[in-house]
Amino acid sequence: MMKRIGGYILAGFLLTAAAAFGPMAVSAAEAGNPYDQVASEEEMSAHQEVGMEGMYPIYGGDVADGVYGIEVESSSPMFRVEKAELTVREGEMRAVLTLSGTGYRMLYMGTGAEAAKAEPADFIPYTEDEEGKFSYEVPVEALDLPIDCAAFSRNKEKWYDRQILFQAQSLPSEAVRTELPDYEALRQAAKERRIAALKAEKEEGQAREPEDQTAAVSPEPALIEMEDGEYAIAVELTGGSGRSTVNSPAGLIVLDGHAFARLQWSSSSYDYMIVGGKQYFPVNEEGYSTFEIPITAFNEPVPVIADTTAMSTPHEVEYTLIFHGDEIMSADETPQAAAKKVVYMAVGIAAVCGAVSWIKKRRKRTRR
């Protein structure tokens, strides 16, 4: 009898415990990842491709053990890597990324959708340095390879899809133990493909809507009281990051009393310019990007846009040009003309030296 009563008491206790703790256990199971929100495409800034066609992954086994500073390309201006330190040990690579901002609570090496289903233990928290910068230690699968990296926004409490690429070319040459691609050739090929695609798109648009010619009308070049021909003009560039420059003096072309400029940049990465709403493409296929554009005004700021494909990420950058109408000179004074003079002089000197050497040798033979 006592055993039966004891059994009833135990059963009642278990039922009570199940009623009390059962819902709590189910809630915990259903809770899963508390960070399961993913930003939509509309919520994210424009995604930019990282890397270039023709790149191939450089794995840890091809990098010498050591600690290196490395440059990191990002698919989003909202996720800018200010500094990165790569550690390579026995074929394994890890990096400490320091971001320019403090807006991300944690990272996940994968997509935002994968992060939303992952275990919180797989998230990478930040550490804060003495300057208040946020750093994250992440595994690196390979260099020169686009890697998915989701970032959890502190304010929006959502995962944002990003891609990063660790640039092998930024390491010391002795650190990489395999042959790297010709990055300049890859950049040039990417630039040519982009220009061809832009030209085709422009031609297709003009053919499709021939009645709408407003966008194709060239900006009016300034009048200039000079004979038609080629000259040089001092030009001043402002805007952008300050790293790019243009050659000054630039070429000045006078055609039917109107002024045009032959403008050469300090980079080969510019694939088009926009002046007065019209798009202009380079007039050269190799070397520094060179454009022939109308000079719409002298001695006053002329706003222009130049699109750069540096590191395969196209950016339209706003600049201002000032063409100094009181500093016009002979075309022989342009940097290109000066360079040609140097080449011609060198060739001339070499020819003279060769001739003198030949005469001396001939005299020696005659004396014998």
Side-chain angles (χ1 to χ4, degrees), residues 70-112:
I70 189 169
E71 294 180 12
V72 181
E73 188 180 355
S74 170
S75 64
S76 171
M78 305 301 293
F79 190 84
R80 187 169 67 85
V81 179
E82 195 171 81
K83 181 177 66 174
E85 186 176 81
L86 178 72
T87 299
V88 185
R89 184 175 291 109
E90 297 180 354
E92 297 294 326
M93 297 190 292
R94 299 188 67 82
V96 175
L97 308 179
T98 301
L99 300 186
S100 59
T102 58
Y104 299 110
R105 186 185 303 175
M106 51 200 167
L107 305 182
Y108 176 81
M109 302 312 290
T111 65

Side-chain angles (χ1 to χ4, degrees), residues 18 223 302:
L223 293 170
V302 175

Side-chain angles (χ1 to χ4, degrees), residues 32-33 35-38 108 111-120 122-123 159:
N33 179 357
Y35 310 107
D36 59 355
Q37 298 297 309
V38 181
Y108 176 81
T111 65
E114 292 169 342
K117 299 176 183 178
E119 295 294 329
D122 295 329
F123 302 154
W159 290 104

Side-chain angles (χ1 to χ4, degrees), residues 256-278:
D256 295 331
H258 292 87
F260 300 84
R262 184 177 293 116
L263 200 69
Q264 185 182 90
W265 291 82
S266 60
S267 166
S268 61
S269 298
Y270 289 96
D271 58 358
Y272 66 81
M273 290 183 67
I274 297 176
V275 182
K278 181 176 172 64

Side-chain angles (χ1 to χ4, degrees), residues 9 51-52 66 79 82 124 151 181 202 208 265 278 283 296 317 354:
I9 293 173
M52 292 180 287
F79 190 84
E82 195 171 81
I124 302 169
K202 184 177 181 180
R208 188 170 55 249
W265 291 82
K278 181 176 172 64
V283 295
T296 57
V317 184

Side-chain angles (χ1 to χ4, degrees), residues 3-301:
K3 288 183 179 179
R4 185 177 297 175
I5 293 173
Y8 290 151
I9 293 173
L10 178 60
F13 174 79
L14 292 175
L15 288 173
T16 303
F21 296 104
M24 186 180 299
V26 171
S27 297
E30 290 178 346
N33 179 357
Y35 310 107
D36 59 355
Q37 298 297 309
V38 181
S40 65
E41 291 186 8
E42 292 75 18
E43 293 176 289
M44 290 189 286
S45 58
H47 181 85
Q48 301 159 348
E49 296 295 328
V50 296
M52 292 180 287
E53 185 177 333
M55 275 185 168
Y56 45 82
I58 306 298
Y59 294 98
D62 289 321
V63 183
D65 286 3
V67 179
Y68 312 97
I70 189 169
E71 294 180 12
V72 181
E73 188 180 355
S74 170
S75 64
S76 171
M78 305 301 293
F79 190 84
R80 187 169 67 85
V81 179
E82 195 171 81
K83 181 177 66 174
E85 186 176 81
L86 178 72
T87 299
V88 185
R89 184 175 291 109
E90 297 180 354
E92 297 294 326
M93 297 190 292
R94 299 188 67 82
V96 175
L97 308 179
T98 301
L99 300 186
S100 59
T102 58
Y104 299 110
R105 186 185 303 175
M106 51 200 167
L107 305 182
Y108 176 81
M109 302 312 290
T111 65
E114 292 169 342
K117 299 176 183 178
E119 295 294 329
D122 295 329
F123 302 154
I124 302 169
Y126 69 86
T127 58
E128 188 172 353
D129 64 17
E130 61 277 4
E131 297 178 358
K133 301 286 187 180
F134 282 15
S135 296
Y136 312 79
E137 185 176 353
V138 303
V140 179
E141 179 184 352
L143 312 181
D144 283 359
L145 175 72
I147 299 173
D148 290 326
C149 177
F152 191 81
S153 169
R154 300 172 65 189
N155 295 330
K156 301 296 181 66
E157 296 192 342
K158 294 181 180 181
W159 290 104
Y160 285 77
D161 282 314
R162 309 294 187 217
Q163 273 194 332
I164 54 178
L165 181 140
F166 295 86
Q167 298 174 6
Q169 64 175 329
S170 66
L171 294 181
S173 57
E174 65 273 12
V176 183
R177 299 182 294 201
T178 188
E179 185 177 356
L180 295 177
D182 184 340
Y183 294 100
E184 187 55 41
L186 296 184
R187 276 191 285 272
Q188 181 65 26
K191 173 186 169 184
E192 290 173 2
R193 286 193 299 271
R194 180 168 166 79
I195 290 174
L198 289 169
K199 286 182 177 178
E201 182 181 346
K202 184 177 181 180
E203 291 171 0
E204 182 181 349
Q206 290 174 347
R208 188 170 55 249
E209 300 180 10
E211 71 280 359
D212 182 13
Q213 294 295 324
T214 55
V217 174
S218 299
E220 188 67 24
L223 293 170
I224 184 169
E225 295 182 359
M226 296 182 69
E227 291 185 6
D228 286 5
E230 295 197 12
Y231 306 87
I233 184 170
V235 60
E236 182 180 347
L237 175 76
T238 57
S241 64
R243 288 180 291 184
S244 292
T245 60
V246 295
N247 279 352
S248 181
L252 170 64
I253 302 170
V254 179
L255 183 63
D256 295 331
H258 292 87
F260 300 84
R262 184 177 293 116
L263 200 69
Q264 185 182 90
W265 291 82
S266 60
S267 166
S268 61
S269 298
Y270 289 96
D271 58 358
Y272 66 81
M273 290 183 67
I274 297 176
V275 182
K278 181 176 172 64
Q279 191 177 51
Y280 295 86
F281 295 103
V283 295
N284 61 324
E285 294 183 354
E286 296 182 355
Y288 296 133
S289 300
T290 304
F291 298 83
E292 289 184 0
I293 59 173
I295 298 176
T296 57
F298 291 105
N299 302 317
E300 61 182 70

